[in-house]
Amino acid sequence: MPKLFSGIQPTGELHLGNYFGAITNWVELQEEHETIYCIVDLHAITSDYDPDTLRENSVEMAIDLIASGIDPEKSVLFIQSEVREHVELQWIFNTVTSYGDLTRMTQFKDKSEKADFVSAGLFDYPVLQAADILLYKASRVPVGEDQVQHVELTRRIARKFNSRFGEFFPEPEPIVGRGARIMSTADPERKMSKSDHEKHAIGLMEDEDSIWEKVKSAVTDPGESKGEEMSPGVANLFTLLELTAPKSTVEGFREDHKEGKLMYIDLKEAVYENLMGKISPVRKKKRKLMENRSHVEDLLEGGKEKARSIATGNMQEVRKMVGVGPR
RNA sequence: AGGCCUGUAGCUCAAUUGGCAGAGCGCCGGACUCCAAAUCCGAAGGUUGGGGGUUCAAGUCCUCCCGGGCCUGCCA
């Protein structure tokens, strides 16, 4: 089975964009791949964060992932900073990474424009990401569109390393666009994201009233456009409905929309009902896991050991090739 | 190491010579709407980065600290 790596930052709880966009995909990929899923706390500290809650958030992210269907038996699930080889490999990669390449990373340009303090770590972030992937010699990386550039950089780093020190790393392939693209309910032109306005991201574990408020207040349109045309807001609601409701339900609403007799409040109620139906098992499972936190910590400990056994072996090879470090 | 600039509401910024801390946007509530958006009405929101000092009075002046940005790093 091909080896697959992906990471997620422990910055608060999952929202519907994460869940339907990435995580449900991660769950499926477990079946046909050797999956390694990493909670990337070292990436999280490149932007403003709270040290007092980071560790807790990391464990909570693990809880959310397990509740969502990531199986610690099938997948290696662990916290990045617990395997120190990530950082060691990053440093080595720094020496084969082109400075000019890094300056061209659009995500860095975006983030550094917004941030009031731009750390060297933020700049070097894609190199750590390359180390994350290649430390396990993963050949596939499910990512969002915005991360493709980083995977391409990872490929260049692998190529450079291989030509300099000898064939060792694979050139990983990005897996893009398999997940759904959930848009913000308040601004359906933009992807749902927790960084922008919390208001527009619906948390997977958020309380029911609050989810209903957000679904109900989702942007639609004046309802005058009949037929094929569908505004982005309405299309987004249909996306959510498709992900959660039976086909017949979706078809019914589609018909109504085509004929111009769809009441959006009905659509919103259906989205809410079906959404809750779909995610309530996940929510229940999370509640159970929360009661037994130490069990989750044990699972993470196990994940760390599995990750480490791959990482230390590969790093030993790398050190040998590069000519540094303890043998 | 030295020099210069800077910090005011969630965001962008204003505040005369030292004289009641404000606006726009956003957020929240209401009207309108099948629900929203737009629009209208309303409300909340501040230790002016922090401490000390001068003064009747400090966002404003002095001082120290914290944070951020820029310039210099040459010859002797």
Side-chain angles (χ1 to χ4, degrees):
Chain A
M1 289 204 289
K3 208 178 272 181
L4 177 149
F5 179 96
S6 200
I8 187 166
Q9 283 197 32
T11 48
E13 66 177 25
L14 291 176
H15 56 71
L16 297 184
N18 299 136
Y19 181 72
F20 289 114
I23 306 306
T24 53
N25 192 213
W26 282 18
V27 172
E28 280 173 31
L29 290 164
Q30 289 183 122
E31 305 306 325
E32 328 130 20
H33 294 80
E34 191 182 330
T35 41
I36 301 169
Y37 293 134
C38 183
I39 295 161
V40 289
D41 54 349
L42 294 175
H43 285 286
I45 65 174
T46 57
S47 310
D48 236 0
Y49 79 105
D50 176 17
D52 294 333
T53 55
L54 181 61
R55 197 172 289 274
E56 199 177 316
N57 284 346
S58 295
V59 176
E60 186 150 339
M61 179 56 76
I63 291 174
D64 284 2
L65 293 176
I66 294 168
S68 299
I70 301 299
D71 181 353
E73 294 292 317
K74 293 181 190 161
S75 295
V76 180
L77 177 67
F78 71 108
I79 296 171
Q80 184 186 30
S81 60
E82 308 218 315
V83 179
R84 295 192 301 269
E85 280 78 5
H86 286 254
V87 179
E88 186 179 357
L89 185 58
Q90 180 192 17
W91 179 254
I92 289 169
F93 281 173
N94 272 332
T95 66
V96 296
T97 302
S98 147
Y99 170 83
D101 240 346
L102 284 181
T103 62
R104 272 173 244 121
M105 294 296 124
T106 59
Q107 194 180 65
F108 172 74
K109 289 190 211 167
D110 281 356
K111 282 192 180 176
S112 59
E113 260 172 42
K114 289 174 200 160
D116 53 345
F117 174 69
V118 180
S119 70
L122 185 66
F123 181 67
D124 204 34
Y125 184 118
V127 181
L128 181 57
Q129 204 175 332
D132 295 337
I133 297 163
L134 294 176
L135 181 56
Y136 303 95
K137 294 185 153 190
S139 58
R140 298 196 186 171
V141 190
V143 287
E145 195 70 51
D146 55 329
Q147 292 290 316
V148 173
Q149 199 186 22
H150 289 177
V151 180
E152 281 164 2
L153 177 71
T154 300
R155 295 166 62 87
R156 280 197 293 282
I157 290 173
R159 204 173 309 145
K160 182 75 188 284
F161 182 96
N162 290 345
S163 72
R164 175 76 179 80
F165 300 107
E167 207 58 35
F168 187 70
F169 291 114
E171 290 187 26
E173 303 276 352
I175 301 175
V176 197
R178 274 186 54 165
R181 206 173 142 79
I182 306 297
M183 310 306 281
S184 155
T185 51
D187 183 0
E189 306 278 339
R190 307 177 57 157
K191 220 166 89 172
M192 187 177 283
S193 121
K194 53 190 148 193
S195 54
D196 294 330
H197 309 287
E198 203 173 307
K199 175 196 169 204
H200 310 332
I202 299 176
L204 190 58
M205 307 299 177
E206 205 169 313
D207 73 80
E208 299 184 21
D209 292 346
S210 170
I211 293 182
W212 167 239
E213 283 304 318
K214 286 181 184 175
V215 171
K216 182 176 156 238
S217 65
V219 172
T220 57
D221 60 52
E224 285 153 5
S225 61
K226 293 185 184 182
E228 300 302 317
E229 285 301 307
M230 197 182 277
S231 63
V234 176
N236 195 37
L237 289 168
F238 269 100
T239 302
L240 283 169
L241 197 65
E242 271 165 4
L243 290 165
T244 56
K247 261 206 167 77
S248 57
T249 308
V250 182
E251 285 315 308
F253 279 105
R254 276 205 192 287
E255 280 303 308
D256 286 353
H257 180 265
K258 218 174 248 176
E259 292 164 27
K261 62 179 188 184
L262 174 58
M263 291 292 115
Y264 290 139
I265 190 68
D266 297 335
L267 174 62
K268 286 175 175 181
E269 267 165 20
V271 166
Y272 172 73
E273 293 298 336
N274 287 287
L275 175 65
M276 291 314 294
K278 183 81 171 187
I279 66 178
S280 68
V282 176
R283 295 155 65 91
K284 242 179 238 155
K285 194 165 175 198
K286 170 167 183 172
R287 254 170 264 140
K288 230 179 228 167
L289 288 164
M290 291 290 272
E291 284 167 19
N292 199 353
R293 246 186 129 78
S294 66
H295 175 59
V296 174
E297 282 172 17
D298 288 347
L299 291 173
L300 283 172
E301 189 68 19
K304 175 183 83 178
E305 289 310 325
K306 281 193 261 181
R308 202 175 257 173
S309 73
I310 305 171
T312 52
N314 285 339
M315 264 320 287
Q316 231 159 35
E317 294 299 314
V318 169
R319 288 189 203 109
K320 219 181 288 173
M321 297 171 87
V322 176
V324 297
R327 272 173 276 195

mmCIF file of all heavy atoms in Angstrom, chain A residues 199 216-221 263-264 268, chain B residues 26-28 34-37 67-69:
data_model
loop_
_atom_site.group_PDB
_atom_site.id
_atom_site.type_symbol
_atom_site.label_atom_id
_atom_site.label_comp_id
_atom_site.label_asym_id
_atom_site.label_seq_id
_atom_site.Cartn_x
_atom_site.Cartn_y
_atom_site.Cartn_z
ATOM 1 N N LYS A 199 -17.288 33.675 13.192
ATOM 2 C CA LYS A 199 -18.725 33.714 12.981
ATOM 3 C C LYS A 199 -19.167 32.883 11.773
ATOM 4 O O LYS A 199 -20.250 32.333 11.738
ATOM 5 C CB LYS A 199 -19.109 35.180 12.770
ATOM 6 C CG LYS A 199 -20.541 35.416 12.407
ATOM 7 C CD LYS A 199 -20.699 36.822 11.856
ATOM 8 C CE LYS A 199 -22.071 36.997 11.243
ATOM 9 N NZ LYS A 199 -22.105 38.046 10.244
ATOM 10 N N LYS A 216 -29.266 29.136 9.574
ATOM 11 C CA LYS A 216 -30.409 29.980 9.277
ATOM 12 C C LYS A 216 -29.980 31.323 8.708
ATOM 13 O O LYS A 216 -30.648 31.887 7.827
ATOM 14 C CB LYS A 216 -31.226 30.201 10.556
ATOM 15 C CG LYS A 216 -32.474 31.027 10.358
ATOM 16 C CD LYS A 216 -33.285 31.113 11.642
ATOM 17 C CE LYS A 216 -34.156 32.342 11.620
ATOM 18 N NZ LYS A 216 -33.914 33.259 12.728
ATOM 19 N N SER A 217 -28.874 31.842 9.213
ATOM 20 C CA SER A 217 -28.453 33.161 8.750
ATOM 21 C C SER A 217 -27.511 33.077 7.548
ATOM 22 O O SER A 217 -26.931 34.076 7.138
ATOM 23 C CB SER A 217 -27.790 33.917 9.896
ATOM 24 O OG SER A 217 -26.597 33.272 10.265
ATOM 25 N N ALA A 218 -27.377 31.891 6.976
ATOM 26 C CA ALA A 218 -26.508 31.737 5.800
ATOM 27 C C ALA A 218 -27.000 32.636 4.662
ATOM 28 O O ALA A 218 -28.206 32.766 4.428
ATOM 29 C CB ALA A 218 -26.490 30.288 5.346
ATOM 30 N N VAL A 219 -26.077 33.235 3.980
ATOM 31 C CA VAL A 219 -26.405 34.113 2.855
ATOM 32 C C VAL A 219 -27.020 33.295 1.724
ATOM 33 O O VAL A 219 -26.509 32.228 1.366
ATOM 34 C CB VAL A 219 -25.139 34.830 2.350
ATOM 35 C CG1 VAL A 219 -25.430 35.586 1.058
ATOM 36 C CG2 VAL A 219 -24.619 35.778 3.404
ATOM 37 N N THR A 220 -28.117 33.798 1.161
ATOM 38 C CA THR A 220 -28.735 33.121 0.014
ATOM 39 C C THR A 220 -28.779 34.089 -1.158
ATOM 40 O O THR A 220 -27.756 34.495 -1.668
ATOM 41 C CB THR A 220 -30.149 32.630 0.369
ATOM 42 O OG1 THR A 220 -30.935 33.742 0.815
ATOM 43 C CG2 THR A 220 -30.097 31.568 1.446
ATOM 44 N N ASP A 221 -29.966 34.445 -1.593
ATOM 45 C CA ASP A 221 -30.164 35.416 -2.669
ATOM 46 C C ASP A 221 -31.618 35.860 -2.611
ATOM 47 O O ASP A 221 -32.392 35.304 -1.847
ATOM 48 C CB ASP A 221 -29.799 34.801 -4.030
ATOM 49 C CG ASP A 221 -30.653 33.577 -4.343
ATOM 50 O OD1 ASP A 221 -31.896 33.661 -4.264
ATOM 51 O OD2 ASP A 221 -30.070 32.522 -4.659
ATOM 52 N N MET A 263 -38.565 27.457 -0.894
ATOM 53 C CA MET A 263 -38.473 28.358 0.245
ATOM 54 C C MET A 263 -37.141 28.063 0.938
ATOM 55 O O MET A 263 -36.925 26.950 1.426
ATOM 56 C CB MET A 263 -39.632 28.105 1.214
ATOM 57 C CG MET A 263 -41.001 28.512 0.683
ATOM 58 S SD MET A 263 -41.158 30.310 0.512
ATOM 59 C CE MET A 263 -41.324 30.471 -1.257
ATOM 60 N N TYR A 264 -36.283 29.083 1.003
ATOM 61 C CA TYR A 264 -34.953 28.831 1.542
ATOM 62 C C TYR A 264 -34.979 28.380 2.994
ATOM 63 O O TYR A 264 -34.118 27.647 3.442
ATOM 64 C CB TYR A 264 -34.061 30.067 1.370
ATOM 65 C CG TYR A 264 -33.697 30.327 -0.065
ATOM 66 C CD1 TYR A 264 -33.686 31.616 -0.592
ATOM 67 C CD2 TYR A 264 -33.366 29.266 -0.906
ATOM 68 C CE1 TYR A 264 -33.344 31.845 -1.910
ATOM 69 C CE2 TYR A 264 -33.026 29.484 -2.231
ATOM 70 C CZ TYR A 264 -33.025 30.778 -2.730
ATOM 71 O OH TYR A 264 -32.683 30.993 -4.026
ATOM 72 N N LYS A 268 -32.951 25.357 4.523
ATOM 73 C CA LYS A 268 -32.066 25.514 5.677
ATOM 74 C C LYS A 268 -32.426 24.542 6.795
ATOM 75 O O LYS A 268 -31.548 23.981 7.443
ATOM 76 C CB LYS A 268 -32.109 26.953 6.169
ATOM 77 C CG LYS A 268 -31.358 27.893 5.238
ATOM 78 C CD LYS A 268 -31.478 29.343 5.648
ATOM 79 C CE LYS A 268 -30.604 30.201 4.734
ATOM 80 N NZ LYS A 268 -30.655 31.630 5.097
ATOM 81 P P G B 26 -19.762 47.056 7.472
ATOM 82 O OP1 G B 26 -20.252 46.209 6.374
ATOM 83 O OP2 G B 26 -20.668 47.996 8.150
ATOM 84 O "O5'" G B 26 -19.083 46.126 8.573
ATOM 85 C "C5'" G B 26 -18.267 45.027 8.197
ATOM 86 C "C4'" G B 26 -17.617 44.409 9.423
ATOM 87 O "O4'" G B 26 -16.909 45.425 10.168
ATOM 88 C "C3'" G B 26 -18.582 43.804 10.435
ATOM 89 O "O3'" G B 26 -18.971 42.494 10.069
ATOM 90 C "C2'" G B 26 -17.741 43.822 11.704
ATOM 91 O "O2'" G B 26 -16.812 42.765 11.729
ATOM 92 C "C1'" G B 26 -16.993 45.150 11.558
ATOM 93 N N9 G B 26 -17.719 46.255 12.206
ATOM 94 C C8 G B 26 -18.415 47.275 11.610
ATOM 95 N N7 G B 26 -18.956 48.111 12.458
ATOM 96 C C5 G B 26 -18.592 47.602 13.697
ATOM 97 C C6 G B 26 -18.878 48.076 15.003
ATOM 98 O O6 G B 26 -19.527 49.075 15.338
ATOM 99 N N1 G B 26 -18.317 47.258 15.986
ATOM 100 C C2 G B 26 -17.583 46.128 15.738
ATOM 101 N N2 G B 26 -17.130 45.478 16.809
ATOM 102 N N3 G B 26 -17.297 45.683 14.528
ATOM 103 C C4 G B 26 -17.831 46.459 13.558
ATOM 104 P P C B 27 -20.387 41.939 10.498
ATOM 105 O OP1 C B 27 -20.500 40.570 9.936
ATOM 106 O OP2 C B 27 -21.412 42.951 10.171
ATOM 107 O "O5'" C B 27 -20.272 41.839 12.084
ATOM 108 C "C5'" C B 27 -19.399 40.900 12.687
ATOM 109 C "C4'" C B 27 -19.439 41.022 14.186
ATOM 110 O "O4'" C B 27 -18.963 42.341 14.575
ATOM 111 C "C3'" C B 27 -20.829 40.951 14.801
ATOM 112 O "O3'" C B 27 -21.255 39.616 14.983
ATOM 113 C "C2'" C B 27 -20.628 41.686 16.123
ATOM 114 O "O2'" C B 27 -19.981 40.858 17.072
ATOM 115 C "C1'" C B 27 -19.676 42.800 15.707
ATOM 116 N N1 C B 27 -20.392 44.047 15.336
ATOM 117 C C2 C B 27 -20.876 44.881 16.352
ATOM 118 O O2 C B 27 -20.700 44.562 17.539
ATOM 119 N N3 C B 27 -21.514 46.027 16.013
ATOM 120 C C4 C B 27 -21.688 46.349 14.729
ATOM 121 N N4 C B 27 -22.320 47.490 14.442
ATOM 122 C C5 C B 27 -21.216 45.519 13.678
ATOM 123 C C6 C B 27 -20.578 44.387 14.027
ATOM 124 P P C B 28 -22.776 39.257 14.722
ATOM 125 O OP1 C B 28 -22.879 37.782 14.826
ATOM 126 O OP2 C B 28 -23.242 39.954 13.502
ATOM 127 O "O5'" C B 28 -23.524 39.917 15.971
ATOM 128 C "C5'" C B 28 -23.305 39.425 17.278
ATOM 129 C "C4'" C B 28 -24.019 40.304 18.289
ATOM 130 O "O4'" C B 28 -23.443 41.639 18.263
ATOM 131 C "C3'" C B 28 -25.491 40.549 17.992
ATOM 132 O "O3'" C B 28 -26.316 39.479 18.381
ATOM 133 C "C2'" C B 28 -25.747 41.824 18.785
ATOM 134 O "O2'" C B 28 -25.841 41.556 20.173
ATOM 135 C "C1'" C B 28 -24.462 42.605 18.513
ATOM 136 N N1 C B 28 -24.592 43.491 17.342
ATOM 137 C C2 C B 28 -25.273 44.717 17.500
ATOM 138 O O2 C B 28 -25.735 44.983 18.611
ATOM 139 N N3 C B 28 -25.400 45.538 16.444
ATOM 140 C C4 C B 28 -24.898 45.198 15.254
ATOM 141 N N4 C B 28 -25.048 46.043 14.237
ATOM 142 C C5 C B 28 -24.213 43.955 15.054
ATOM 143 C C6 C B 28 -24.082 43.146 16.115
ATOM 144 P P C B 34 -41.253 37.422 2.151
ATOM 145 O OP1 C B 34 -41.395 36.883 0.802
ATOM 146 O OP2 C B 34 -42.416 38.095 2.797
ATOM 147 O "O5'" C B 34 -40.743 36.266 3.107
ATOM 148 C "C5'" C B 34 -41.669 35.599 3.940
ATOM 149 C "C4'" C B 34 -41.161 34.234 4.286
ATOM 150 O "O4'" C B 34 -41.032 33.434 3.080
ATOM 151 C "C3'" C B 34 -39.764 34.194 4.870
ATOM 152 O "O3'" C B 34 -39.799 34.449 6.263
ATOM 153 C "C2'" C B 34 -39.317 32.776 4.573
ATOM 154 O "O2'" C B 34 -39.845 31.864 5.517
ATOM 155 C "C1'" C B 34 -39.985 32.521 3.217
ATOM 156 N N1 C B 34 -39.036 32.683 2.096
ATOM 157 C C2 C B 34 -38.234 31.589 1.722
ATOM 158 O O2 C B 34 -38.336 30.551 2.362
ATOM 159 N N3 C B 34 -37.392 31.716 0.690
ATOM 160 C C4 C B 34 -37.310 32.882 0.032
ATOM 161 N N4 C B 34 -36.448 32.962 -0.979
ATOM 162 C C5 C B 34 -38.110 34.004 0.389
ATOM 163 C C6 C B 34 -38.964 33.857 1.415
ATOM 164 P P C B 35 -38.777 35.517 6.910
ATOM 165 O OP1 C B 35 -39.147 35.626 8.326
ATOM 166 O OP2 C B 35 -38.752 36.712 6.049
ATOM 167 O "O5'" C B 35 -37.362 34.792 6.810
ATOM 168 C "C5'" C B 35 -37.148 33.554 7.482
ATOM 169 C "C4'" C B 35 -35.799 33.006 7.120
ATOM 170 O "O4'" C B 35 -35.778 32.582 5.739
ATOM 171 C "C3'" C B 35 -34.657 34.002 7.194
ATOM 172 O "O3'" C B 35 -34.250 34.182 8.541
ATOM 173 C "C2'" C B 35 -33.598 33.313 6.349
ATOM 174 O "O2'" C B 35 -32.921 32.310 7.075
ATOM 175 C "C1'" C B 35 -34.450 32.639 5.261
ATOM 176 N N1 C B 35 -34.410 33.379 3.990
ATOM 177 C C2 C B 35 -33.304 33.188 3.153
ATOM 178 O O2 C B 35 -32.407 32.428 3.528
ATOM 179 N N3 C B 35 -33.244 33.843 1.975
ATOM 180 C C4 C B 35 -34.241 34.654 1.614
ATOM 181 N N4 C B 35 -34.127 35.277 0.443
ATOM 182 C C5 C B 35 -35.383 34.868 2.447
ATOM 183 C C6 C B 35 -35.434 34.210 3.623
ATOM 184 P P A B 36 -33.410 35.434 8.995
ATOM 185 O OP1 A B 36 -33.029 35.188 10.381
ATOM 186 O OP2 A B 36 -34.150 36.663 8.637
ATOM 187 O "O5'" A B 36 -32.088 35.336 8.102
ATOM 188 C "C5'" A B 36 -31.544 36.472 7.491
ATOM 189 C "C4'" A B 36 -30.533 36.015 6.468
ATOM 190 O "O4'" A B 36 -31.201 35.333 5.379
ATOM 191 C "C3'" A B 36 -29.778 37.146 5.786
ATOM 192 O "O3'" A B 36 -28.696 37.588 6.586
ATOM 193 C "C2'" A B 36 -29.331 36.480 4.500
ATOM 194 O "O2'" A B 36 -28.253 35.602 4.709
ATOM 195 C "C1'" A B 36 -30.581 35.671 4.158
ATOM 196 N N9 A B 36 -31.511 36.488 3.372
ATOM 197 C C8 A B 36 -32.729 36.987 3.742
ATOM 198 N N7 A B 36 -33.307 37.715 2.802
ATOM 199 C C5 A B 36 -32.400 37.700 1.755
ATOM 200 C C6 A B 36 -32.399 38.279 0.479
ATOM 201 N N6 A B 36 -33.390 39.035 0.016
ATOM 202 N N1 A B 36 -31.329 38.053 -0.306
ATOM 203 C C2 A B 36 -30.330 37.314 0.153
ATOM 204 N N3 A B 36 -30.200 36.712 1.340
ATOM 205 C C4 A B 36 -31.286 36.938 2.100
ATOM 206 P P A B 37 -28.388 39.155 6.681
ATOM 207 O OP1 A B 37 -27.234 39.310 7.572
ATOM 208 O OP2 A B 37 -29.644 39.875 6.960
ATOM 209 O "O5'" A B 37 -27.946 39.512 5.187
ATOM 210 C "C5'" A B 37 -26.744 38.987 4.635
ATOM 211 C "C4'" A B 37 -26.613 39.440 3.203
ATOM 212 O "O4'" A B 37 -27.763 38.956 2.458
ATOM 213 C "C3'" A B 37 -26.650 40.953 3.006
ATOM 214 O "O3'" A B 37 -25.373 41.521 3.149
ATOM 215 C "C2'" A B 37 -27.173 41.071 1.578
ATOM 216 O "O2'" A B 37 -26.156 40.825 0.643
ATOM 217 C "C1'" A B 37 -28.175 39.932 1.527
ATOM 218 N N9 A B 37 -29.538 40.347 1.885
ATOM 219 C C8 A B 37 -30.238 40.061 3.026
ATOM 220 N N7 A B 37 -31.453 40.574 3.056
ATOM 221 C C5 A B 37 -31.551 41.245 1.844
ATOM 222 C C6 A B 37 -32.600 42.002 1.262
ATOM 223 N N6 A B 37 -33.769 42.198 1.847
ATOM 224 N N1 A B 37 -32.374 42.544 0.050
ATOM 225 C C2 A B 37 -31.185 42.336 -0.540
ATOM 226 N N3 A B 37 -30.121 41.645 -0.095
ATOM 227 C C4 A B 37 -30.379 41.113 1.113
ATOM 228 P P G B 67 10.208 42.597 24.233
ATOM 229 O OP1 G B 67 10.502 41.160 24.123
ATOM 230 O OP2 G B 67 11.306 43.589 24.134
ATOM 231 O "O5'" G B 67 9.104 42.986 23.164
ATOM 232 C "C5'" G B 67 7.924 42.209 23.044
ATOM 233 C "C4'" G B 67 6.945 42.880 22.117
ATOM 234 O "O4'" G B 67 6.583 44.195 22.631
ATOM 235 C "C3'" G B 67 7.468 43.194 20.726
ATOM 236 O "O3'" G B 67 7.500 42.055 19.892
ATOM 237 C "C2'" G B 67 6.460 44.236 20.259
ATOM 238 O "O2'" G B 67 5.232 43.644 19.908
ATOM 239 C "C1'" G B 67 6.271 45.050 21.548
ATOM 240 N N9 G B 67 7.166 46.217 21.563
ATOM 241 C C8 G B 67 8.297 46.411 22.308
ATOM 242 N N7 G B 67 8.869 47.571 22.070
ATOM 243 C C5 G B 67 8.065 48.164 21.111
ATOM 244 C C6 G B 67 8.172 49.420 20.464
ATOM 245 O O6 G B 67 9.033 50.299 20.617
ATOM 246 N N1 G B 67 7.133 49.620 19.546
ATOM 247 C C2 G B 67 6.131 48.726 19.295
ATOM 248 N N2 G B 67 5.228 49.094 18.377
ATOM 249 N N3 G B 67 6.016 47.551 19.895
ATOM 250 C C4 G B 67 7.011 47.347 20.785
ATOM 251 P P G B 68 8.646 41.926 18.780
ATOM 252 O OP1 G B 68 8.547 40.563 18.235
ATOM 253 O OP2 G B 68 9.933 42.415 19.333
ATOM 254 O "O5'" G B 68 8.178 42.967 17.670
ATOM 255 C "C5'" G B 68 7.021 42.720 16.898
ATOM 256 C "C4'" G B 68 6.660 43.924 16.072
ATOM 257 O "O4'" G B 68 6.467 45.081 16.924
ATOM 258 C "C3'" G B 68 7.720 44.396 15.087
ATOM 259 O "O3'" G B 68 7.797 43.582 13.936
ATOM 260 C "C2'" G B 68 7.231 45.813 14.797
ATOM 261 O "O2'" G B 68 6.117 45.805 13.943
ATOM 262 C "C1'" G B 68 6.781 46.254 16.194
ATOM 263 N N9 G B 68 7.855 46.985 16.881
ATOM 264 C C8 G B 68 8.621 46.574 17.941
ATOM 265 N N7 G B 68 9.507 47.481 18.306
ATOM 266 C C5 G B 68 9.317 48.531 17.430
ATOM 267 C C6 G B 68 9.965 49.789 17.326
ATOM 268 O O6 G B 68 10.890 50.244 18.002
ATOM 269 N N1 G B 68 9.451 50.555 16.290
ATOM 270 C C2 G B 68 8.430 50.170 15.455
ATOM 271 N N2 G B 68 8.071 51.048 14.516
ATOM 272 N N3 G B 68 7.802 49.010 15.542
ATOM 273 C C4 G B 68 8.301 48.244 16.541
ATOM 274 P P G B 69 9.174 43.392 13.196
ATOM 275 O OP1 G B 69 9.023 42.275 12.251
ATOM 276 O OP2 G B 69 10.264 43.361 14.203
ATOM 277 O "O5'" G B 69 9.316 44.750 12.383
ATOM 278 C "C5'" G B 69 8.410 45.045 11.331
ATOM 279 C "C4'" G B 69 8.594 46.464 10.865
ATOM 280 O "O4'" G B 69 8.435 47.379 11.979
ATOM 281 C "C3'" G B 69 9.975 46.807 10.336
ATOM 282 O "O3'" G B 69 10.180 46.343 9.012
ATOM 283 C "C2'" G B 69 9.956 48.336 10.426
ATOM 284 O "O2'" G B 69 9.172 48.895 9.397
ATOM 285 C "C1'" G B 69 9.230 48.529 11.760
ATOM 286 N N9 G B 69 10.198 48.667 12.867
ATOM 287 C C8 G B 69 10.496 47.760 13.845
ATOM 288 N N7 G B 69 11.402 48.197 14.689
ATOM 289 C C5 G B 69 11.718 49.477 14.227
ATOM 290 C C6 G B 69 12.622 50.449 14.731
ATOM 291 O O6 G B 69 13.366 50.382 15.712
ATOM 292 N N1 G B 69 12.628 51.607 13.960
ATOM 293 C C2 G B 69 11.847 51.811 12.848
ATOM 294 N N2 G B 69 11.986 52.977 12.226
ATOM 295 N N3 G B 69 10.987 50.912 12.369
ATOM 296 C C4 G B 69 10.980 49.780 13.112
#
